[in-house]
């Protein structure tokens, strides 16, 4: 240390010592403490990109102030049409465009109800869950509000917005229903389009979305729209609505709620608003979405066996998706999709032709046996076919009248089919790459490349028949001597005597799997293009067109003559099995048809998206 540092240190010490005496006679130092006010300070949200403009209340209290208006400070007011997306319009239009694609389903199967012929089928699927799920949205909104969990609006503004939304929806739905007069799939009433249940469900979902999804957590919106979509799908499965009814109903539900809130925003202005919207300040396009759409393509199946072909036709499919992706940047990410694609039969074709079952009533095998024996005790000039019907009329079976088969002596007194499932439903899980191209602050284009696995749930129709057990007396000769020419055309077989069928006194019933159509699991490849509209910082709507390709190995098991085993004695059944002239050469047994088809599906739909 040099001399300059010593001199500086000495000067500081002397200065402090000299001034110390100045403080000996000073009064004690008083510290004025400012008045303290208790105030809650909220830490930052756990999500680094989520900014809550209005902090939540410290401790929710029950809220029963239905008529008391209150407004929280700092909440941004809405202007008229400020929060309208117009996404309900394409949904409604899509449903209207699909109105012409109807299934073949109709009323009741049994001939003894309403005098209808038994050429009809009725699905056996039925659930009442959709009657309750349509109220999920408003129930959640009211429950959260009563519990003191603040949403967008106070009670008066909420009740006005909800009442306006339901009133608009009811006016639109009922006005269209009783003007269009579309018959329901089950044939019950002519007020099918659009679906009131689905419209009600989507009004409730949009209420939940606006009150709590936009202001508290986006997962409230996901829950609301997910349940509303499930409600619409169940209306189709219950054969209460066509897919066109459901899509138009969803569009009306969303449009009605947006219009109801827009009118209340005009009337209430800032009054009655409690919370601002959540704000997401990240441009990363990661998302989770739920979608509903219509599937086109792959609308018929042709089966072949032993030269015989049978065709079944399908209508447009109902498609529901849950999809999500994580993006590494603005342009590329990875994700997956779960898709349920339900395609119902429009025409069962040759598999279901109950009018042709008169051939079965007429005992096809016996007809061939009769024509082979050629008895001579009928009017001259009659054809074998005419003589055959005369023969059966003699024993009390009027083959020209279906009702005659339902008398007490008939071998078959009732026969019909019950559709357990009229859908071929595919469940597909896929993963792959997602791509995004921003066009502006609100719009972007997207595409994807997916690979996955598809599992198929089968179509199922059961048969039911009942009647009286009949026996047939006959003498059969088997002769394998060379050069024998027997009446049947078979060198080893002849029926020399065939007597009238006789009742045994026993009755029979039979219920069996008449037709099942399914497919093996397969690998699926998918892509698509989409247009995304980001109408809030953390919510978007997306229009998409997807293309999926898979190879399916379909199997149809068809058993139209199963009840014959119950309706006649074993001897008579053997005679029909041997002598029957059956179209596909398979006798009375189960027919199995197989086909391999390359399925090309196009899906048009709308997605509700949460930006993560």
């Amino acid at each position: 240390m040099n001399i300059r540092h010593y001199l500086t240190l000495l000067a500081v010490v002397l200065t402090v010592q000299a001034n110390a005496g100045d403080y000996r006679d000073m009064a004690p130092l008083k510290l004025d403490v400012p008045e303290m006010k208790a105030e809650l300070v909220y830490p930052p949200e756990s999500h680094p990109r989520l900014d809550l403009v209005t902090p939540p209340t410290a401790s929710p209290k029950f809220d029963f102030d239905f008529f008391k208006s209150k407004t929280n400070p700092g909440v941004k007011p809405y202007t008229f049409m400020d929060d309208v997306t117009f996404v309900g319009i394409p949904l409604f239009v899509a449903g209207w465009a699909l109105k012409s694609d109807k299934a073949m389903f109709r009323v009741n199967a049994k001939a003894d109800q309403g005098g209808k012929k038994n050429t009809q089928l009725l699905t056996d699927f039925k659930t009442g869950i959709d009657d309750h799920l349509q109220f999920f949205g408003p129930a959640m909104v009211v429950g959260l509000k009563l519990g003191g969990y603040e949403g967008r609006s106070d009670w008066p503004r909420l009740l006005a917005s909800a009442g306006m939304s339901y009133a608009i929806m009811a006016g639109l739905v009922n006005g269209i229903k009783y003007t269009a007069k579309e018959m329901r799939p089950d044939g019950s009433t002519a007020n099918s389009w659009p679906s009131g249940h689905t419209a009600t469900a989507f009004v409730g979902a949009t209420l939940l979305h606006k009150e709590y999804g936009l202001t508290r957590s986006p997962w409230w919106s996901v829950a609301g729209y997910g349940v509303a979509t499930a409600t619409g799908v169940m209306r189709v499965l219950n054969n209460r609505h066509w897919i066109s009814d459901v899509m138009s109903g969803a569009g009306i539900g969303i449009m009605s709620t947006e219009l109801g809130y827009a009118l209340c925003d005009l009337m209430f202005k800032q009054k009655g608003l409690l919370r601002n919207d959540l704000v997401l300040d990240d441009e990363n396009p990661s998302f989770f979405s739920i979608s509903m759409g219509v599937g086109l393509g792959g609308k018929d199946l042709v089966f072949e066996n032993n030269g015989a072909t049978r065709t079944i036709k399908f209508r447009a499919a109902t498609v529901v998706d849950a999809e999500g992706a994580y993006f590494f940047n603005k342009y590329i990410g990875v994700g997956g999709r779960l898709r349920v694609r339900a395609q119902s039969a429009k025409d069962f074709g040759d598999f279901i032709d109950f009018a042709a079952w008169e051939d079965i009533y007429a005992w096809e095998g016996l007809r061939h046996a009769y024509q082979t024996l050629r008895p001579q005790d009928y009017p001259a000039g009659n054809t074998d076919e005419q003589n055959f019907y005369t023969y059966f009329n003699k024993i009390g079976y009027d083959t020209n009248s279906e009702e005659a088969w339902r008398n007490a002596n008939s071998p078959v007194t009732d026969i019909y089919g019950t559709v357990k499932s009229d859908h071929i439903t595919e469940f597909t899980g896929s993963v792959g790459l997602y791509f995004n191209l921003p066009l502006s602050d609100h719009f972007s284009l997207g595409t994807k490349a997916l690979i996955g696995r598809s599992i198929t749930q089968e179509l199922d129709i059961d048969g039911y028949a009942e009647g009286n057990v009949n026996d047939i007396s006959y003498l059969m000769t088997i002769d394998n001597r060379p050069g024998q020419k027997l009446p049947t055309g078979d060198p080893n077989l002849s029926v020399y005597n065939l007597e009238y069928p006789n009742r045994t006194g026993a009755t029979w019933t039979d219920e069996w799997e008449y037709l099942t159509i399914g497919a093996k699991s397969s690998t699926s490849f998918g892509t698509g293009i989409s247009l995304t509209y980001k109408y809030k910082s953390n919510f978007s709507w997306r229009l998409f067109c997807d293309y999926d390709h898979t190879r399916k190995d379909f199997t149809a098991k068809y058993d139209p003559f199963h009840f014959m085993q119950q309706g006649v004695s074993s001897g008579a059944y053997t005679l029909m099995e041997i002598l029957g002239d059956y179209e596909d050469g398979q006798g009375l047994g189960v027919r199995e048809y197989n086909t391999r088809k390359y399925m090309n599906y196009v899906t048009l739909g709308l997605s509700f998206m949460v930006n993560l």
Side-chain angles (χ1 to χ4, degrees):
M1 185 179 291
N2 57 34
I3 187 64
R4 186 173 62 180
H5 291 158
Y6 279 114
L7 292 176
T8 302
L9 179 60
L10 180 61
V12 172
V13 171
L14 291 174
T15 300
V16 173
Q17 188 175 11
N19 292 330
D22 297 339
Y23 297 94
R24 293 175 182 171
D25 299 326
M26 289 182 64
L29 182 65
K30 293 182 179 180
L31 181 64
D32 292 331
V33 180
E35 182 179 356
M36 304 296 290
K37 191 174 184 180
E39 184 176 353
L40 287 172
V41 179
Y42 295 92
E45 291 293 315
S46 59
H47 197 308
R49 298 177 290 161
L50 197 62
D51 176 26
L52 287 177
V53 178
T54 306
T57 56
S59 55
K61 297 180 181 179
F62 292 109
D63 184 358
F64 298 102
D65 295 328
F66 301 111
F67 306 103
K68 182 179 179 181
S69 179
K70 60 179 178 179
T71 305
N72 287 340
V75 181
K76 179 185 79 67
Y78 294 91
T79 59
F80 181 60
M81 304 294 283
D82 183 35
D83 206 27
V84 178
T85 65
F86 300 102
V87 295
I89 296 176
L91 270 176
F92 177 82
V93 172
W96 174 79
L98 289 169
K99 278 168 78 281
S100 61
D101 189 15
K102 302 299 184 185
M104 51 114 188
F105 272 12
R106 15 351 59 204
V107 289
N108 173 40
K110 289 192 174 183
D112 58 353
Q113 295 184 8
K116 298 182 181 296
K117 290 174 66 67
N118 68 332
T119 56
Q120 299 165 329
L121 299 173
L122 181 66
T123 180
D124 203 34
F125 179 90
K126 179 63 180 176
T127 177
I129 298 176
D130 48 343
D131 292 330
H132 307 290
L133 284 186
Q134 62 178 319
F135 302 114
F136 173 81
M140 291 302 302
V141 171
V142 171
L144 293 169
K145 188 71 174 171
L146 288 174
Y149 192 62
E150 280 188 346
R152 179 187 197 259
S153 313
D154 66 357
W155 274 114
R157 186 168 183 147
L158 169 61
L159 294 175
S161 299
M164 191 83 70
S165 301
Y166 280 108
I168 294 171
M169 180 272 296
L172 289 174
V173 167
N174 288 292
I176 297 173
K177 269 181 179 290
Y178 296 103
T179 301
K181 296 182 179 180
E182 290 284 334
M183 184 62 67
R184 292 181 183 270
D186 61 5
S188 58
T189 54
N191 60 347
S192 188
W193 181 73
S195 168
H197 277 65
T198 308
T200 301
F202 273 86
V203 168
T206 309
L207 287 175
L208 186 58
H209 166 63
K210 285 185 172 292
E211 289 296 325
Y212 291 101
L214 289 173
T215 64
R216 302 305 295 252
S217 170
W219 298 108
W220 289 117
S221 302
V222 172
Y225 283 115
V227 171
T229 300
T231 302
V233 171
M234 278 187 279
R235 297 303 287 168
V236 176
L237 294 177
N238 274 334
N239 275 324
R240 294 292 291 165
H241 283 288
W242 315 101
I243 185 175
S244 57
D245 307 339
V246 166
M247 296 191 75
S248 292
I252 289 176
I254 295 172
M255 286 191 299
S256 300
T257 312
E258 290 190 338
L259 185 56
Y261 267 79
L263 293 174
C264 286
D265 288 341
L266 180 65
M267 293 187 299
F268 284 85
K269 296 182 171 59
Q270 188 175 2
K271 187 177 181 181
L273 291 175
L274 303 181
R275 297 182 65 85
N276 280 324
D277 292 344
L278 299 171
V279 177
L280 188 67
D281 59 1
D282 196 323
E283 297 182 353
N284 188 300
S286 299
F287 71 91
F288 173 81
S289 71
I290 53 175
S291 311
M292 182 170 65
V294 55
L296 309 174
K299 298 182 71 172
D300 64 274
L301 289 174
V302 180
F303 295 92
E304 183 175 354
N305 188 3
N306 291 336
T309 59
R310 294 185 181 271
T311 303
I312 182 169
K313 297 181 180 180
F314 293 88
R315 62 188 178 107
T318 306
V319 181
V320 178
D321 295 342
E323 190 170 15
Y326 172 77
F327 277 75
F328 306 110
N329 50 47
K330 291 183 181 181
Y331 307 104
I332 187 169
V334 295
R337 181 188 70 193
L338 295 175
R339 168 163 287 177
V340 180
R341 189 178 192 279
Q343 195 166 14
S344 61
K346 184 177 183 179
D347 181 4
F348 286 120
D350 299 328
F351 284 115
I352 300 292
D353 185 1
F354 282 90
W357 278 25
E358 288 187 7
D359 287 341
I360 299 174
Y361 298 152
W363 308 85
E364 190 73 36
L366 294 182
R367 183 199 327 234
H368 186 66
Y370 175 84
Q371 293 170 346
T372 300
L373 293 173
R374 298 178 182 275
Q376 304 301 316
D377 57 342
Y378 294 99
N382 276 11
T383 65
D384 288 336
E385 191 79 4
Q386 291 171 329
N387 286 339
F388 171 76
Y389 285 118
T390 303
Y391 166 80
F392 268 83
N393 289 337
K394 277 187 174 183
I395 59 175
Y397 300 141
D398 180 5
T399 56
N400 295 316
S401 170
E402 180 184 345
E403 294 182 359
W405 291 98
R406 308 198 180 284
N407 62 47
N409 295 321
S410 298
V412 180
T413 57
D414 199 6
I415 186 167
Y416 59 88
T418 300
V419 180
K420 297 295 184 180
S421 171
D422 71 327
H423 295 72
I424 287 183
T425 305
E426 294 183 39
F427 303 88
T428 305
S430 304
V431 295
L433 296 175
Y434 285 74
F435 305 94
N436 182 68
L437 177 63
L439 300 178
S440 67
D441 291 339
H442 292 283
F443 289 94
S444 62
L445 289 175
T447 187
K448 56 198 170 189
L450 303 178
I451 184 172
R453 198 70 177 166
S454 173
I455 301 173
T456 302
Q457 184 181 48
E458 64 186 15
L459 177 149
D460 181 19
I461 302 175
D462 286 356
Y464 177 85
E466 61 185 36
N468 302 291
V469 178
N470 283 258
D471 199 358
I472 301 172
S473 298
Y474 59 90
L475 176 64
M476 179 182 294
T477 300
I478 299 176
D479 193 340
N480 59 0
R481 291 176 297 174
Q484 292 296 311
K485 187 175 181 181
L486 303 176
T488 60
D490 186 331
N492 299 315
L493 180 63
S494 178
V495 179
Y496 285 113
N497 182 31
L498 178 64
E499 297 181 359
Y500 294 161
N502 299 307
R503 289 190 60 192
T504 64
T507 60
W508 61 272
T509 60
D510 193 16
E511 188 170 0
W512 74 102
E513 288 190 347
Y514 176 85
L515 175 67
T516 58
I517 298 177
K520 297 178 180 178
S521 59
S522 61
T523 301
S524 174
F525 303 92
T527 185
I529 188 169
S530 61
L531 176 65
T532 301
Y533 168 54
K534 189 175 183 180
Y535 84 104
K536 295 286 185 180
S537 65
N538 55 340
F539 290 101
S540 300
W541 291 97
R542 171 177 287 174
L543 288 170
F544 67 88
C545 177
D546 285 352
Y547 170 77
D548 294 281
H549 171 82
T550 185
R551 187 191 73 185
K552 287 286 187 182
D553 291 323
F554 288 96
T555 298
K557 292 184 179 180
Y558 176 46
D559 191 6
F561 302 114
H562 187 277
F563 67 93
M564 287 292 195
Q565 300 178 39
Q566 303 288 335
V568 297
S569 65
S570 59
Y573 183 84
T574 300
L575 180 66
M576 288 186 291
E577 179 74 22
I578 295 174
L579 298 181
D581 184 14
Y582 303 101
E583 177 186 352
D584 49 19
Q586 297 189 60
L588 299 174
V590 180
R591 286 117 167 95
E592 183 171 308
Y593 299 85
N594 298 281
T595 187
R596 171 172 290 181
K597 184 166 184 178
Y598 293 91
M599 310 298 289
N600 298 292
Y601 300 131
V602 176
T603 303
L604 302 176
L606 180 70
S607 300
F608 172 76
M609 300 173 56
V610 175
N611 303 322
L612 303 175

